Amino acid sequence: MQYFRLIFLMSERHGQRFAFWTDEARSLVQGTLQPVYRVPRQSAVSEKVPVHIESVDDRTTEEKRLVDFIVKLQGSEEHLVGVLNGKPSEWLHKVTSSRVPVYLDSEEQQDILFAYLRGVLDRTPTEMSFTDEVQFICDVLFPEAIIYALAALRNLSLQEAEQVFLSGPYYHFRHVLHENNSVVGFTIKD
């Protein structure tokens, strides 16, 4: 803006006021020299990550730990085999047309866990009868595996882990605002 003001003043014959100018300044005003813009280093790049981005990263890390415990370490397999062999489970009686909460946001982690649970179901002989294998995995084995893993990783009782599962994952309020506004088409200005 100042650049254009200087050009205006020079074109209006106010050049005598700028007698102290150097040759570099004159060539800048005439357009033969490109201006150099300096940005202060402090405000150029911020290394501080916003809290809602941090919470998403923490959430992703927690999901990966949970799925790794279930799949790679097979931490819930004994419990799942017990459920398939008749061990009492609240989720067997809750199989309805309404969907059970998933607890995992990442579709990649959901796919990994689903494939593992399908493998457990395929290799475990069971006397249970169900009409839809996918619904059985999603409504019974998914919650059982996640609740058992939550109890083991967070050192909770199964009842406390079930409450954590039912309450869903924790989201930072800025992440929720960002997601809601991105659906509507607005953006948040920090």
Side-chain angles (χ1 to χ4, degrees):
M1 187 71 177
Q2 290 178 342
Y3 173 75
F4 294 110
R5 184 196 281 158
L6 290 174
I7 291 175
F8 174 74
L9 290 173
M10 289 298 288
S11 66
E12 294 292 320
R13 301 183 197 278
H14 295 288
Q16 63 271 14
R17 291 188 177 188
F18 302 102
F20 58 88
W21 277 25
T22 63
D23 291 333
E24 184 179 346
R26 282 190 186 93
S27 61
L28 181 67
V29 171
Q30 292 170 355
T32 58
L33 180 68
Q34 290 293 325
V36 176
Y37 296 102
R38 290 190 169 81
V39 179
R41 287 188 179 257
Q42 297 169 348
S43 63
V45 177
S46 172
E47 293 186 20
K48 184 177 179 188
V49 178
V51 176
H52 67 283
I53 301 297
E54 237 176 65
S55 70
V56 170
D57 188 45
D58 292 346
R59 179 86 191 112
T60 304
T61 303
E62 181 189 351
E63 282 185 8
K64 184 160 177 28
R65 267 188 58 223
L66 200 64
V67 172
D68 285 348
F69 176 80
I70 296 168
V71 175
K72 290 182 180 173
L73 299 177
Q74 298 179 347
S76 298
E77 185 161 354
E78 186 178 324
H79 176 72
L80 294 171
V81 170
V83 168
L84 290 172
N85 288 329
K87 182 178 177 182
S89 168
E90 288 184 33
W91 296 98
L92 282 174
H93 306 294
K94 292 182 182 180
V95 176
T96 62
S97 60
S98 64
R99 291 289 162 212
V100 173
V102 179
Y103 195 82
L104 301 175
D105 289 335
S106 167
E107 288 186 18
E108 178 184 354
Q109 298 298 331
Q110 290 174 13
D111 291 343
I112 291 169
L113 183 57
F114 184 83
Y116 171 75
L117 294 174
R118 176 173 267 169
V120 169
L121 184 61
D122 289 344
R123 70 177 172 264
T124 305
T126 182
E127 296 177 11
M128 300 178 84
S129 62
F130 44 86
T131 56
D132 187 1
E133 181 181 90
V134 173
Q135 183 178 2
F136 180 75
I137 291 171
C138 291
D139 291 350
V140 177
L141 296 182
F142 226 90
E144 285 290 342
I146 292 174
I147 290 169
Y148 194 81
L150 283 171
L153 290 175
R154 293 187 182 180
N155 200 20
L156 302 171
S157 69
L158 286 176
Q159 290 77 22
E160 292 169 332
E162 184 172 356
Q163 288 304 312
V164 169
F165 175 78
L166 290 173
S167 65
Y170 169 74
Y171 296 102
H172 190 272
F173 78 97
R174 294 291 290 172
H175 176 69
V176 173
L177 282 175
H178 178 73
E179 289 298 317
N180 289 344
N181 288 337
S182 67
V183 169
V184 176
F186 297 109
T187 57
I188 297 174
K189 295 182 181 176
D190 289 329

